[in-house]
Amino acid sequence: MIRPRHARPPSRSLLAMWRAQTAAPHAAPHTGRAGPWRGRRPHGRPRPARGLAVALVALEGRRGFTLLLALLVLLALGTLGTGLLFVSTQEARVATALVHTARARAGAESAARAALAGWRTSDYRALESGAPHAVQAAAGTLAPDVAYDARVERLAAGLFMIRGEARSGPEAGPGARASVGLLVRGLLPAEFAPELAAALSAAGPVEVLPGGVVDGTGAAGPPEGWSPAFCPPDPVLGLPPGPRPGVLLPDNAPAPAGAVQGVPPVAREPGLADSAALAGLGRLGLADLAALADRTEAGSVAATPRTVDGECDVGAPGNWGDPADPAAPCGGYLPLIFAPADLALSGAGQGVLVVQGDLVLAPGAAFHGAVLVTGRMTVGAGAVVSGAVRAGEASVAGAVRFDACALGRALGSAPGLDRPLRPAGRSWVPVF
């Protein structure tokens, strides 16, 4: 017998239907008729749809897992972002520190180089060992937040160190500091004095003609017009004060006849016969003297001081200073003069004269300072040399007088000898 189909119940969600069935306390009474719901559980409770229930419960559980998974992903992304932010911040700080370090290093080196550019050894000859001397550095050459300065310290007799220091960055904030040391070799007059210890030192024969004189006593005093205020102290030459020998010769050279005065009048030095005796002055060879020279001359020179607008024109031809008046505009100009060939001098000059050849002083010429001649030196009648001479050989019809004042001024004031020199070995040294 075919039973009629019941009408289909209204559509509801499966989960709602399942909850309604499982939550009902009692089931509808059994009528014995066929219906849409079969297989009732005992005690009047319907049988739950187990497969569907498990799927629905699993679906509900997955919603919580998804939420938990999303929270974990957000937490991981936040941690990763925080880490990247920390790393980028540290890299920015490191980059800023590197910039400050480079600026500080550049500032320290700039301060040392600025002090070297304006170096004058005469400014530091009286400096005590270990005593620092501040140097005015050029301003406005680096960034505004870079402060730098320089000091000069004397390490030994002629060895100095320029200490450059700098700081980059704001005073109250992070920054960097740097210090550098630059070694400088300065020339001292005492280094040249042993080679100029007599009025006239010669490697060969010396001829003193009638009317000529070689005087090492120093009794004549400073040159005419020079006051003691312009003369450096005698100990600056590194020799004991007092008279010097008139003529200094090697052992095999004959003593000159004529007017030679000194204590003693003639002294001997075996080393004068060596070719190296005329190869330079002190530690400076002829090539060094040529490179350091303030003036290079050749041929015939009429030395006379020249001024422009009341200032000494050091570039004018023949301007070898003004030996007649130390207080004049050119009175303090005592150049280092180098002649690569024979030279004839007229007029008056002062300084340090180096001639790689023969030198002739015309009658009436005058020179005050130190003279080195690798060949023959001829002093004409009435010509005067005040200071000291070192020559291969000499003929004197005028006067050669030892003068510590003229010699000290020339060796201590010549711009060419006042320059800084690079010491042997390394120049830059680490300082802390």
Side-chain angles (χ1 to χ4, degrees), residues 11-370:
S11 175
R12 296 188 302 173
S13 71
L14 296 177
L15 181 60
M17 294 171 61
W18 178 78
R19 286 178 177 174
Q21 293 181 21
T22 55
H26 300 284
H30 179 64
T31 60
R33 293 182 303 172
W37 306 100
R38 298 182 180 183
R40 300 287 186 180
R41 294 185 63 188
H43 310 293
R45 297 179 64 87
R47 182 186 298 273
R50 293 185 177 274
L52 181 59
V54 172
L56 294 175
V57 172
L59 181 61
E60 288 289 314
R62 286 178 182 176
R63 292 181 179 178
F65 175 76
T66 303
L67 180 60
L68 178 61
L69 181 61
L71 291 176
L72 291 177
V73 171
L74 291 177
L75 179 61
L77 292 176
T79 304
L80 180 61
T82 304
L84 292 176
L85 179 61
F86 175 78
V87 171
S88 61
T89 302
Q90 294 302 314
E91 288 183 350
R93 290 180 177 178
V94 170
T96 302
L98 289 177
V99 170
H100 285 309
T101 301
R103 285 182 175 180
R105 177 74 182 186
E109 291 188 2
S110 297
R113 293 183 185 276
L116 183 65
W119 179 273
R120 292 181 56 188
T121 305
S122 56
D123 294 338
Y124 311 109
R125 288 183 183 137
L127 191 64
E128 297 291 336
S129 297
H133 178 80
V135 179
Q136 184 67 31
T141 56
L142 294 178
D145 60 345
V146 178
Y148 54 97
D149 59 10
R151 301 191 304 272
V152 175
E153 300 177 10
R154 189 172 198 164
L155 304 180
L159 184 63
F160 302 86
M161 183 180 70
I162 302 175
R163 180 188 292 269
E165 296 182 347
R167 185 187 189 281
S168 176
E171 296 182 359
R177 294 182 179 273
S179 299
V180 298
L182 180 60
L183 295 179
V184 178
R185 184 77 172 87
L187 297 174
L188 306 179
E191 299 181 34
F192 308 102
E195 300 177 0
L196 301 168
L200 174 59
S201 304
V206 173
E207 181 183 17
V208 181
L209 302 176
V213 60
V214 178
D215 184 4
T217 62
E224 184 179 356
W226 289 28
S227 66
F230 292 98
C231 297
D234 196 49
V236 76
L237 299 177
L239 296 174
R244 269 57 167 188
V247 176
L248 191 61
L249 297 170
D251 291 337
N252 58 351
V260 178
Q261 303 170 9
V263 181
V266 179
R268 301 290 177 173
E269 181 181 328
L272 280 175
D274 192 347
S275 59
L278 300 174
L281 284 175
R283 62 177 66 244
L284 300 178
L286 292 175
D288 299 325
L289 293 168
L292 294 173
D294 303 304
R295 305 187 65 92
T296 301
E297 305 283 6
S300 299
V301 176
T304 183
R306 290 180 171 85
T307 61
V308 175
D309 297 331
E311 299 291 335
C312 184
D313 185 7
V314 297
N319 187 359
W320 290 15
D322 189 355
D325 185 3
C330 291
Y333 178 52
L334 295 93
L336 170 60
I337 308 155
F338 184 81
D342 297 346
L343 182 69
L345 174 65
S346 60
Q350 60 184 356
V352 179
L353 176 59
V354 180
V355 180
Q356 196 170 1
D358 297 338
L359 172 64
V360 176
L361 270 70
F367 188 83
H368 298 348

